Amino acid sequence: MEINTHNADILLSAANKSHYPQDDIPEIALAGRSNVGKSSFINTLLNRKNLARTSGKPGKTQLLNFFNIDDKLRFVDVPGYGYARVSKKEREKWGRMIEEYLTSRENLRAVVSLVDLRHDPSADDVQMYEFLKYYDIPVILVATKADKIPRGKWNKHESAITKKLDFDKNDDFILFSSVTKDGLDAVWDAILSKI
Ligand SMILES: Nc1nc2c(ncn2[C@@H]2O[C@H](COP(=O)(O)OP(=O)(O)OP(=O)(O)O)[C@@H](O)[C@H]2O)c(=O)[nH]1
Ligand SMILES: [Mg+2]
């Protein structure tokens, strides 16, 4: 499929099902801890400086942000988990919102699950991966900030992550950097193979 990635923009923000777009356009959702690099990832994939950050306006950060890409594909940016300063109530609300989307959305083709290459996955990272496997949702595991680790140590860090996640070898694992753009082509290949 030919997708013109220059033709991309934020479409809408949704708190629940009734706000989701009603059509058959395939969606790829992004999940990961706060600060892992989700917005940077979207900007890098779409070759834009600040597209995803515009969704970070106050009041919108706790919503699902839908990005339209050339009317052929959508990215759905999910608010980051593991953010210490939110209340238990807000966390529960977040949990219901993301669970509703991930378990009922027919347009969903895969989840790009982002983890930081530098660190062992957190308990939240492990829980997210287990959740996606439990619901049989295809996963593209992306390890971000690869530029912060010398190439000679990439394998060691990748092994630590796959071990901690009990990673399914059939899923894609891609090392990525928004700074050097390492992994960019591999990520697009993985996404296009799922839609
Ligand atoms: N060196 C390096 N820094 C990165 C990379 N990706 C993101 N960052 C930095 O990490 C910080 C967080 O990036 P964001 O893209 O805002 O992270 P996020 O996951 O969208 O964060 P939330 O919206 O708070 O959930 C920013 O300072 C980015 O510049 C990367 O690949 N390499
Ligand atoms: Mg963000």
Side-chain angles (χ1 to χ4, degrees):
M1 192 197 295
E2 280 291 315
I3 297 180
N4 177 5
T5 55
H6 298 289
N7 188 14
D9 215 338
I10 176 108
L11 178 68
L12 58 84
S13 299
N16 60 57
K17 254 186 199 174
S18 68
H19 303 140
Y20 301 166
Q22 303 283 331
D23 55 35
D24 298 324
I25 294 176
E27 291 174 355
I28 299 287
L30 306 167
R33 309 184 67 174
S34 192
N35 208 45
V36 72
K38 292 179 300 301
S39 299
S40 305
F41 176 86
I42 292 178
N43 289 332
T44 302
L45 259 68
L46 300 176
N47 199 19
R48 295 273 284 269
K49 278 210 166 62
N50 236 339
L51 180 67
R53 197 132 313 161
T54 58
S55 68
K57 283 183 232 142
K60 290 212 167 180
T61 49
Q62 293 307 311
L63 301 173
L64 301 167
N65 290 309
F66 291 71
F67 293 88
N68 170 31
I69 305 153
D70 204 23
D71 294 329
K72 289 176 183 146
L73 167 67
R74 277 193 293 266
F75 287 157
V76 182
D77 194 6
V78 171
Y81 49 77
Y83 190 61
R85 268 186 291 167
V86 301
S87 66
K88 187 169 174 239
K89 215 172 167 178
E90 279 177 290
R91 260 202 301 278
E92 285 169 359
K93 204 168 115 198
W94 178 92
R96 283 194 298 276
M97 181 178 74
I98 172 72
E99 193 169 326
E100 176 180 53
Y101 175 82
L102 292 176
T103 59
S104 73
R105 184 62 165 162
E106 288 193 6
N107 306 53
L108 181 65
R109 296 292 179 274
V111 172
V112 174
S113 187
L114 295 102
V115 298
D116 191 323
L117 182 63
R118 296 173 297 176
H119 311 301
D120 276 358
S122 68
D124 288 326
D125 291 330
V126 173
Q127 204 186 357
M128 175 56 75
Y129 187 70
E130 284 175 351
F131 181 93
L132 297 170
K133 296 312 289 179
Y134 179 81
Y135 284 101
D136 248 330
I137 300 167
V139 181
I140 301 167
L141 210 288
V142 168
T144 62
K145 310 195 184 185
D147 57 284
K148 300 251 194 185
I149 300 284
R151 265 167 210 274
K153 292 189 177 163
W154 280 8
N155 272 337
K156 180 171 156 261
H157 285 254
E158 177 172 341
S159 301
I161 291 169
T162 54
K163 191 171 170 206
K164 184 83 193 266
L165 291 179
D166 193 14
F167 186 70
D168 179 348
K169 293 265 187 303
N170 297 313
D171 291 333
D172 295 294
F173 188 109
I174 299 165
L175 288 101
F176 185 83
S177 166
S178 289
V179 174
T180 62
K181 304 200 189 326
D182 266 292
L184 180 58
D185 291 343
V187 166
W188 268 120
D189 286 348
I191 289 173
L192 294 174
S193 77
K194 303 272 193 273
I195 64 173

